């Protein structure tokens, strides 16, 4: 089983729609969680951190479910500019830092 | 403030050739990283440097060497390129060694024939 699993998509959604992605992780000792955004042929950029209490940044909401070992990203009122690949990142510390990236979920927002 | 810069942007090598990928950051970060990204796989850490003068292996170090030349620069060397090293290489730097303070460079697309 992969340490971090994501549905690669693509998710094709119309403008204005709400879309949600999940990411599951296998290491129950994982401590920090993040969503990165990567545009086509560009570098990844931090979108948001995921806190135990959940967090919201404008149209984006991230949540963590430790019991089921998954994190989620919800995008409301999708814009064309949201089209990108969203990477799930899990950080764990067990004597040393380990950072694991998911393969990403591709989102295409359609006019 | 350029952030993280990488050279070259593109490179084609023949099997067995060597080359060095350059990376520099102007954010005064202590930690620097080299990743590779392949289709169907997440970014994988090749090597990292927690501070000037130190380097450590990541998940996929075989076939690579690194040099932390100074606080700004971290280079990745392929001594004898193989087709399996065809990939997109990203350099990153981090203020505190944590994911949420990590900034990536624009990447180098390497093809080994």
């Amino acid at each position: 089983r992969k340490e971090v699993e994501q549905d690669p998509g693509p998710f094709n959604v119309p403008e204005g729609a709400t879309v949600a992605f999940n990411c599951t992780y296998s290491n129950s000792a994982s401590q920090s969680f993040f969503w990165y955004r990567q545009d086509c042929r560009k570098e990844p950029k931090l979108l948001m951190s995921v806190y135990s209490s959940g967090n919201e940044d404008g149209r984006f909401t991230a949540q963590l479910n430790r019991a089921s070992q998954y994190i989620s990203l919800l995008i409301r009122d999708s814009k064309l500019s949201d089209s990108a690949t969203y990477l799930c990142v899990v950080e764990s510390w067990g004597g040393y830092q380990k950072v694991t990236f998911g393969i990403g979920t591709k989102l295409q927002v359609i006019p | 403030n350029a952030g993280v810069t990488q050279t070259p942007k593109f490179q084609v090598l023949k099997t067995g050739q060597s080359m060095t990928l350059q990376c520099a950051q102007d954010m005064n970060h202590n930690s620097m990283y080299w990743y590779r990204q392949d289709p169907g796989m997440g970014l994988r850490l090749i090597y990292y440097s927690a501070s000037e003068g130190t380097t450590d292996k990541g998940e996929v170090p075989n076939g690579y060497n690194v040099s932390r030349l100074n606080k700004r620069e971290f280079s990745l060397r392929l001594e004898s390129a193989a087709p399996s090293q065809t990939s997109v290489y990203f350099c990153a730097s981090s203020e505190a060694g944590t994911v949420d303070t990590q900034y990536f460079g624009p990447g180098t697309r390497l093809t080994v024939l």
Side-chain angles (χ1 to χ4, degrees):
Chain A
R1 181 184 174 187
K2 287 185 180 179
E3 291 189 53
V4 175
E5 295 204 59
Q6 293 184 258
D7 181 343
F11 284 55
N12 297 313
V13 302
E15 260 187 300
T18 296
V19 61
F21 313 131
N22 279 346
C23 165
T24 59
Y25 61 95
S26 61
N27 182 358
S28 59
S30 297
Q31 294 166 310
S32 304
F33 309 88
F34 310 88
W35 285 103
Y36 268 72
R37 172 192 169 126
Q38 186 172 24
D39 293 305
C40 187
R41 302 178 78 83
K42 298 286 190 181
E43 71 272 23
K45 293 182 180 178
L46 179 67
L47 178 66
M48 59 199 307
S49 302
V50 187
Y51 304 122
S52 296
S53 56
N55 52 310
E56 187 173 313
D57 183 3
R59 298 180 292 107
F60 297 82
T61 300
Q63 292 192 313
L64 167 64
N65 185 318
R66 285 194 182 273
S68 301
Q69 294 184 204
Y70 74 87
I71 65 172
S72 63
L73 178 67
L74 181 78
I75 306 174
R76 291 182 296 278
D77 188 23
S78 298
K79 312 290 185 190
L80 295 176
S81 57
D82 294 334
S83 297
T85 297
Y86 292 84
L87 310 178
C88 168
V89 185
V90 175
E91 184 179 42
S92 61
W93 292 85
Y96 64 95
Q97 179 195 31
K98 183 173 183 182
V99 177
T100 306
F101 285 77
I103 64 172
T105 296
K106 186 173 183 178
L107 172 65
Q108 186 69 46
V109 181
I110 306 164
Chain B
N1 190 339
V4 181
T5 57
Q6 292 183 235
T7 56
K9 286 187 168 53
F10 302 93
Q11 184 71 49
V12 178
L13 293 178
K14 294 181 180 177
T15 296
Q17 288 185 315
S18 62
M19 78 161 295
T20 299
L21 282 64
Q22 307 285 355
C23 173
Q25 53 93 8
D26 61 3
M27 296 176 282
N28 202 36
H29 287 171
N30 285 316
S31 302
M32 296 187 73
Y33 311 82
W34 276 106
Y35 292 91
R36 61 178 289 174
Q37 186 175 36
D38 302 293
M41 306 190 76
L43 276 85
R44 292 180 293 168
L45 183 64
I46 305 171
Y47 271 94
Y48 68 99
S49 170
S51 61
E52 186 179 354
T54 68
T55 60
D56 285 287
K57 295 179 180 179
E59 183 184 352
V60 288
N62 291 345
Y64 305 95
N65 285 302
V66 290
S67 295
R68 183 75 183 267
L69 304 170
N70 48 55
K71 192 171 186 178
R72 291 188 63 248
E73 298 172 289
F74 189 38
S75 63
L76 179 72
R77 183 160 178 83
L78 287 69
E79 290 291 352
S80 179
S84 60
Q85 294 178 304
T86 293
S87 189
V88 180
Y89 291 85
F90 288 102
C91 176
S93 71
S94 167
E95 178 180 354
T98 57
V99 174
D100 57 352
T101 63
Q102 196 165 128
Y103 293 85
F104 284 82
T108 294
R109 293 184 176 275
L110 174 67
T111 301
V112 183
L113 302 174

